[in-house]
Amino acid sequence: MPKLDAYESDLLAAFEKGQLRSVATRNELAQARAAARATSIKDRRVNIRLTSGDLQDIQTKALEEGMPYQTLIASVLHKYATGRLVEVRTEEPAPPAYGGRRRKG
């Protein structure tokens, strides 16, 4: 489980003591449940090939996050597909993939 900051620790403690109560109406809860069901239904299967190293890294990250690695992969793909996963650009451009200079000609 990831480390909690002070606010999160206080919130968790209050929850565990039963000191929190929902402010949502029954209708709001029903709508939220319906939306969660509709967005979490996985109706397609996809097979992909990964390098052993990438899979091991993904499994390690998933373990750190406390979730199954397949759930982490699905989450990352969902964020990418919905535009919520963005590439962070470095200031220095990457070297050419071919490792050399272009020849004039």
Side-chain angles (χ1 to χ4, degrees):
M1 181 174 191
K3 287 189 174 185
L4 302 179
D5 64 24
Y7 173 76
E8 293 167 330
S9 295
D10 291 346
L11 192 60
L12 181 58
F15 174 77
E16 290 174 341
K17 292 177 184 175
Q19 296 173 338
L20 302 178
R21 72 176 176 83
S22 176
V23 294
T25 65
R26 286 180 188 247
N27 188 38
E28 290 171 331
L29 289 174
Q31 288 176 343
R33 284 188 191 104
R37 270 194 291 281
T39 58
S40 67
I41 295 173
K42 294 177 177 82
D43 60 349
R44 301 295 298 228
R45 179 180 295 265
V46 176
N47 294 316
I48 60 173
R49 290 191 166 285
L50 300 172
T51 65
S52 296
D54 285 347
L55 180 57
Q56 196 168 25
D57 290 345
I58 290 168
Q59 289 172 326
T60 300
K61 294 240 184 245
L63 188 61
E64 290 170 359
E65 294 295 321
M67 67 174 62
Y69 75 93
Q70 292 169 326
T71 302
L72 177 62
I73 292 170
S75 174
V76 169
L77 290 173
H78 175 73
K79 288 176 183 176
Y80 177 79
T82 58
R84 293 187 296 141
L85 183 69
V86 295
E87 183 177 354
V88 177
R89 300 269 182 190
T90 60
E91 292 183 27
E92 268 184 56
Y98 54 84
R101 294 182 179 209
R102 289 190 172 196
R103 294 187 340 194
K104 293 183 182 179

